[in-house]
């Protein structure tokens, strides 16, 4: 019976830790429209659009 409680507690603790990690990640990337994406077609289109406007890039991770 005690082993079942340990397993249940471990699963709940891991799920709470994962949810906390995802919440922190979402808050960290809330101002980034690409949400930390390393590269995609949408990011390339945003770069081209921003070059025409001569304004700050919307993806700060892009170089």
């Amino acid at each position: 019976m005690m082993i079942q409680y340990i397993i249940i507690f471990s699963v709940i603790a891991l799920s709470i830790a994962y949810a906390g990690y995802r919440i922190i990640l979402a808050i960290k990337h809330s101002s980034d429209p690409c949400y930390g994406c390393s590269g995609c077609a949408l990011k390339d289109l945003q770069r081209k659009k921003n070059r025409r406007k001569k304004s700050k890039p919307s993806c700060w991770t892009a170089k």
Side-chain angles (χ1 to χ4, degrees), residues 4-53:
Q4 290 175 346
Y5 287 131
I6 292 171
I7 293 171
I8 291 172
F9 177 74
S10 299
V11 169
I12 291 173
L14 287 173
S15 64
I16 290 172
Y18 180 73
Y21 168 74
R22 294 300 296 180
I23 289 170
I24 290 171
L25 191 65
I27 291 170
K28 186 177 178 183
H29 294 289
S30 65
S31 62
D32 185 13
C34 295
Y35 195 70
C37 178
S38 62
C40 62
L42 181 60
K43 194 174 207 175
D44 293 335
L45 289 174
Q46 285 180 342
R47 278 193 223 149
K48 287 179 185 178
K49 185 178 178 182
N50 287 336
R51 284 183 196 149
R52 287 185 219 139
K53 286 184 181 180

